[in-house]
Amino acid sequence: MSVPTATGSAHHVTTTADLGPAAALSCRECGERFPLTPAFACASCFGPLEIAYDLPLGDPEGLRRRIASGPASIWRYAPLLPVPADVADKPNLNPGWTPLVRADRLAAELGVTGDLYVKDDSGNPTHSFKDRVVANAVEAARAFGFTTLSCSSTGNLAGAVGAAAARAGLRSCVFIPHDLEQGKVVMASVYGGDVVGIEGTYDDVNRFCSELIGDPAGEGWGFVNVNLRPYYAEGSKTLAYEICEQLGWRLPDQLVVPIASGSQLTKIDKGLKELIATGLVEDRPYRIFGAQATGCSPVSQAYKAGHDVVRPVRPDTIAKSLAIGNPADGPYVLDIARRTGGAVEDVSDEQVVDAIKLLARTEGIFAETAGGVTVGVTGKLIEAGLLDPSLTTVVLNTGDGLKTLDAVAPTTGPSAIIRPNLDSFREAGLAS
Amino acid sequence: MSVPTATGSAHHVTTTADLGPAAALSCRECGERFPLTPAFACASCFGPLEIAYDLPLGDPEGLRRRIASGPASIWRYAPLLPVPADVADKPNLNPGWTPLVRADRLAAELGVTGDLYVKDDSGNPTHSFKDRVVANAVEAARAFGFTTLSCSSTGNLAGAVGAAAARAGLRSCVFIPHDLEQGKVVMASVYGGDVVGIEGTYDDVNRFCSELIGDPAGEGWGFVNVNLRPYYAEGSKTLAYEICEQLGWRLPDQLVVPIASGSQLTKIDKGLKELIATGLVEDRPYRIFGAQATGCSPVSQAYKAGHDVVRPVRPDTIAKSLAIGNPADGPYVLDIARRTGGAVEDVSDEQVVDAIKLLARTEGIFAETAGGVTVGVTGKLIEAGLLDPSLTTVVLNTGDGLKTLDAVAPTTGPSAIIRPNLDSFREAGLAS
């Protein structure tokens, strides 16, 4: 193995890091391999780096038993993640192992005749899938000797990083646009870490963080979504693992996944391929569908136009957790959707709200706007004949409605206001 | 067994209800037994009714195995709850089996040298312990043939009922004071059930619901916290079951439990006694401590004054989920605290906020105000020498900080606002 210097390498690198089955960083474009360091871009071609593994092959039954006897968290999959074997013994938020909800009432409304499930990630410690990725980044931070956990964020990630750092006993310092809603600032700062508001847009925040990584002012800092990104992103694979294990070690026929940067969708595909490679599931076709809000749908637009590249857009949608106008993994998403026989589709903000309320009234799940996007897109794909309603389908809800109350506030409210007596109640027309 | 008519009985009673090991309703005051119906007060003495069981005795090892092989929800304890054996197969929110978090960093701050744990119920489907009690009420509603699920609520319970009814395919109609904060109204109404605002206080809402139960306008309605209250309240026992199972089938030495109506604390005590009776845990002493906010501390005041009765107060505290000025189970709480060698204590709103932030920065758990009350009271009890810091202690967090953001908003915020450049960052004094 050649050992060129990867870009994005940081200070205080411990090269003897114990990251379990992780074997190397590997370039998604040219395949060049690098040692496990806090790096994110290939030194040869600047392509994105991801983790390559020494996977546990040849004994799927033993591996299934090992997983089944593990904790009720993502750490049951430690043999497939860039984490040490004793990860569950260290103080961490233990995210994952969230419910796969059989959604018969939603299925009936959508005209699905096969088995429909919602993977409900609002059950995570800070109520979004971000806890999965951040937990993996924390282990990388520990392995590389970082003492401060950091990120650029539009709000949700800042809270997930603050919480994870608090539990792990690490300092945190997160960067957000200065004009965020107060609720998100409260969530980010309640864990006691530093929260820095940047006078500028999220793009300015991101650019500043990249600058800080190369400067002594950021020495010893692990930015979960920058210099720890390859480790961080692996956390999304656990969604694929859990879905298949919860289905009885079986691949679903179809998955509907939201697209922000596109990272989650590509890692779910990677996770499914690893399950096939290790023999944990039978090798058979699956289709991955991507879901965007129309107000930020660069990947959907590229898909429909038959393009291989994604043209950046300026986001304008209530689905703020998906509002990345220039999605780094967009081209990979297009490739996966086409290769697996899936598709990419988008829905309007009005459809997002309707879908949030549909999921709430049929299954009692109050989803974040991103969940409205996937449920809404599922309905649209069925109407278009692109998603087969007779097959087993899993729709992801990656966040919690409590964080995006404003999206549904204008169209919810009391059925009636009455005086506290039976006559007044009967007049309201709600009596038995 | 005599079969007098219990008060609070409702229409359309199915007396062949399958409620598993539940054997009868039993009066807490006079011990009189009644058949299992939607009743809540003794016909002889008007005392509160609770569930009596045919407990599975004589084979603790077999029972432990049966529980361990059950689902990761409260339904693993179906042999100890008023629910049919196949309860987990019916559509429901499957609450419970929330994390028991080992809190070493919190322990260090509080001067606890023994093992300290936080039972974190924010991980439930609607992010409070209410999902446990409502899930039990849903099973009673099904068993009695009720088609509408209802409640009086100050907000959180309304959301839990709306969500549970949606998943179960029942109609819901919940009653709230008309002037609730918009966020709570959104949470209550997003699940598609009817939400009725009552022009009046929470007491007016409660009174109206009792009136509705006896009227044809409420025929076929199960009010989870009124005519289904004995079944509903049993859900709180699962907190005791989970804590002991998560400790390796061992009783904790000390528990710190919030007090609203006092029901939860009494049912935790009942649950622990059942675990001893069935042989699931060894019989040894435990102490139960009750926690209130000073602005609504009628039980704490009675405890300190040495009284057996609780004098109602008008609540004035940020801990709104505990703000019941006339707690129905107050006298039972006093009895349990004194009998077990515990105590009842209260903390100011300022201490509640400090405790929320202490828990967040040490363990990454963002608690509702009720969690601030229990953590704050734990500290105060240690300082007073009432809680032994060398023993195993479990502190309950029964809700989620996302629901009471206002409590911490005034004292959280960014550490700094900077321009997006390194000089500006260095000036802020946060650099590595």
Side-chain angles (χ1 to χ4, degrees):
Chain A
M1 183 172 115
S2 66
V3 187
T5 306
T7 59
S9 71
H11 310 265
H12 291 315
V13 173
T14 309
T15 48
T16 55
D18 174 9
L19 289 166
L25 290 172
S26 165
C27 177
R28 288 194 70 159
E29 288 299 323
C30 71
E32 179 105 45
R33 285 187 153 215
F34 303 89
L36 293 165
T37 63
F40 54 99
C42 174
S44 301
C45 76
F46 297 102
L49 298 177
E50 63 178 1
I51 314 285
Y53 291 90
D54 292 325
L55 287 177
L57 304 173
D59 180 19
E61 269 313 315
L63 184 54
R64 278 198 204 106
R65 273 197 304 275
R66 187 170 156 196
I67 291 169
S69 68
S73 73
I74 58 171
W75 304 134
R76 63 201 287 113
Y77 307 108
L80 305 169
L81 294 171
V83 297
D86 64 347
V87 60
D89 299 336
K90 304 182 184 193
N92 76 83
L93 293 179
N94 295 304
W97 203 239
T98 57
L100 183 71
V101 177
R102 189 172 163 112
D104 290 347
R105 284 164 45 76
L106 177 63
E109 296 261 0
L110 293 177
V112 171
T113 53
D115 294 339
L116 181 68
Y117 296 89
V118 175
K119 179 63 175 172
D120 184 14
D121 242 18
S122 65
N124 277 311
T126 73
H127 307 319
S128 87
F129 90 100
K130 294 282 187 198
D131 293 324
R132 298 177 183 272
V133 284
V134 170
N136 276 267
V138 166
E139 291 314 307
R142 285 199 246 242
F144 296 131
F146 290 135
T147 51
T148 297
L149 209 61
S150 189
C151 70
S152 57
S153 169
T154 59
N156 284 337
L157 181 59
V161 166
R167 182 74 64 85
L170 296 170
R171 184 192 168 205
S172 69
C173 183
V174 301
F175 297 89
I176 57 175
H178 70 113
D179 55 357
L180 265 196
E181 307 95 292
Q182 195 202 20
K184 287 191 178 164
V185 179
V186 171
M187 282 187 251
S189 57
V190 73
Y191 300 102
D194 286 309
V195 176
V196 178
I198 299 270
E199 290 174 352
T201 65
Y202 178 64
D203 285 335
D204 294 320
V205 177
N206 247 335
R207 206 162 24 236
F208 173 72
C209 287
S210 299
E211 203 180 344
L212 193 49
I213 286 172
D215 191 271
E219 197 168 315
W221 291 29
F223 287 76
V224 301
N225 55 346
V226 190
N227 58 344
L228 297 177
R229 190 169 185 86
Y231 308 89
Y232 165 89
E234 292 292 292
S236 288
K237 293 191 313 183
T238 59
L239 279 161
Y241 301 156
E242 290 182 18
I243 288 167
C244 291
E245 184 179 358
Q246 289 169 326
L247 288 174
W249 290 117
R250 197 164 53 82
L251 289 167
D253 299 310
Q254 306 173 123
L255 294 105
V256 184
V257 181
I259 302 169
S261 73
S263 169
Q264 184 184 70
L265 189 146
T266 66
K267 296 306 175 190
I268 285 174
D269 180 58
K270 188 178 184 218
L272 296 176
K273 287 196 280 192
E274 288 173 356
L275 292 183
I276 293 169
T278 53
L280 286 170
V281 299
E282 194 189 347
D283 185 5
R284 60 188 199 77
Y286 58 85
R287 298 178 196 157
I288 300 186
F289 297 84
Q292 297 204 296
T294 305
C296 182
S297 53
V299 186
S300 176
Q301 288 170 33
Y303 177 83
K304 291 173 184 173
H307 294 162
D308 291 333
V309 293
V310 173
R311 184 194 299 261
V313 301
R314 181 183 293 271
D316 178 18
T317 169
I318 57 169
K320 299 212 184 297
S321 63
L322 303 182
I324 296 183
N326 188 11
D329 284 333
Y332 300 112
V333 167
L334 291 170
D335 177 59
I336 291 166
R338 289 176 179 137
R339 174 170 49 76
T340 66
V344 184
E345 186 51 277
D346 56 271
V347 283
S348 70
D349 283 4
E350 195 183 338
Q351 290 171 309
V352 170
V353 172
D354 287 347
I356 290 173
K357 291 161 76 176
L358 173 64
L359 180 61
R361 79 175 156 79
T362 53
E363 302 298 339
I365 296 171
F366 183 20
E368 213 221 270
T369 43
V373 168
T374 50
V375 171
V377 160
T378 301
K380 201 166 169 183
L381 288 168
I382 291 170
E383 281 169 25
L386 293 168
L387 188 136
D388 187 337
S390 71
L391 300 178
T392 296
T393 304
V394 176
V395 179
L396 266 65
N397 171 40
T398 52
D400 199 292
L402 280 181
K403 295 190 183 182
T404 53
L405 284 177
D406 289 349
V408 291
T411 58
T412 49
S415 317
I417 303 285
I418 66 166
R419 294 180 303 283
N421 64 61
L422 289 168
D423 282 345
S424 182
F425 179 60
R426 282 196 203 90
E427 278 164 28
L430 299 167
S432 178
Chain B
M1 180 174 117
S2 67
V3 187
T5 306
T7 59
S9 70
H11 310 267
H12 291 314
V13 174
T14 308
T15 48
T16 56
D18 174 9
L19 289 167
L25 290 172
S26 166
C27 177
R28 289 192 71 159
E29 287 299 323
C30 71
E32 178 104 47
R33 285 188 152 214
F34 303 89
L36 294 165
T37 64
F40 55 98
C42 174
S44 302
C45 76
F46 297 102
L49 299 176
E50 63 178 1
I51 314 286
Y53 291 90
D54 292 325
L55 287 178
L57 305 174
D59 180 19
E61 269 313 314
L63 184 53
R64 277 198 206 106
R65 273 196 306 275
R66 188 170 155 195
I67 290 168
S69 68
S73 73
I74 59 171
W75 305 135
R76 63 201 285 113
Y77 308 108
L80 304 169
L81 294 172
V83 298
D86 64 347
V87 59
D89 299 335
K90 304 181 184 194
N92 76 83
L93 293 179
N94 295 305
W97 203 240
T98 56
L100 183 70
V101 177
R102 187 167 167 117
D104 290 347
R105 285 163 45 77
L106 177 64
E109 296 261 359
L110 292 177
V112 171
T113 54
D115 293 339
L116 181 68
Y117 297 89
V118 175
K119 178 63 176 171
D120 184 14
D121 242 17
S122 65
N124 276 311
T126 74
H127 307 318
S128 88
F129 90 99
K130 295 282 187 197
D131 293 324
R132 298 177 183 270
V133 285
V134 170
N136 276 267
V138 166
E139 292 313 307
R142 285 200 246 241
F144 296 132
F146 290 135
T147 49
T148 298
L149 208 62
S150 189
C151 69
S152 58
S153 170
T154 59
N156 285 337
L157 181 59
V161 166
R167 180 75 63 86
L170 297 169
R171 183 191 167 205
S172 69
C173 183
V174 301
F175 297 88
I176 58 174
H178 70 112
D179 55 357
L180 267 195
E181 308 95 290
Q182 196 202 20
K184 286 191 178 165
V185 179
V186 171
M187 282 188 252
S189 58
V190 74
Y191 300 102
D194 285 310
V195 176
V196 178
I198 299 270
E199 290 173 352
T201 65
Y202 177 65
D203 285 335
D204 294 319
V205 177
N206 246 335
R207 206 161 26 237
F208 172 73
C209 287
S210 299
E211 203 181 344
L212 193 49
I213 286 170
D215 191 90
E219 197 168 313
W221 290 29
F223 287 76
V224 301
N225 55 345
V226 190
N227 58 343
L228 297 177
R229 189 170 187 86
Y231 308 90
Y232 164 89
E234 291 293 291
S236 288
K237 294 191 311 184
T238 59
L239 279 161
Y241 301 156
E242 290 180 18
I243 288 167
C244 291
E245 185 179 358
Q246 288 168 326
L247 288 174
W249 289 116
R250 197 165 52 82
L251 289 167
D253 299 310
Q254 305 173 125
L255 294 105
V256 185
V257 181
I259 302 170
S261 72
S263 168
Q264 185 185 70
L265 188 147
T266 67
K267 296 307 175 190
I268 286 175
D269 180 57
K270 188 180 184 217
L272 296 176
K273 287 196 281 192
E274 289 173 356
L275 292 183
I276 293 169
T278 52
L280 286 171
V281 299
E282 194 189 348
D283 186 5
R284 60 189 199 78
Y286 57 84
R287 298 179 197 156
I288 300 186
F289 296 85
Q292 296 204 296
T294 305
C296 181
S297 53
V299 186
S300 176
Q301 289 170 32
Y303 177 83
K304 291 173 185 173
H307 295 161
D308 291 334
V309 293
V310 173
R311 184 194 299 263
V313 301
R314 180 183 295 272
D316 178 19
T317 169
I318 57 169
K320 299 212 184 299
S321 63
L322 303 182
I324 297 184
N326 188 12
D329 285 332
Y332 301 112
V333 168
L334 291 171
D335 178 58
I336 290 166
R338 290 175 179 137
R339 175 169 50 75
T340 65
V344 185
E345 187 52 276
D346 56 270
V347 283
S348 70
D349 283 4
E350 195 183 338
Q351 289 170 310
V352 170
V353 172
D354 287 346
I356 290 173
K357 290 160 77 176
L358 173 64
L359 180 61
R361 80 177 155 78
T362 52
E363 301 298 339
I365 296 172
F366 183 21
E368 214 221 90
T369 44
V373 169
T374 51
V375 171
V377 160
T378 302
K380 200 166 169 182
L381 288 168
I382 291 169
E383 281 168 24
L386 294 168
L387 189 137
D388 186 337
S390 71
L391 300 178
T392 297
T393 305
V394 176
V395 179
L396 266 64
N397 172 39
T398 53
D400 199 293
L402 281 182
K403 295 190 183 181
T404 54
L405 284 177
D406 288 349
V408 292
T411 58
T412 49
S415 316
I417 303 285
I418 65 166
R419 294 180 303 285
N421 64 62
L422 289 169
D423 282 345
S424 182
F425 179 60
R426 283 197 203 91
E427 278 164 27
L430 299 166
S432 179

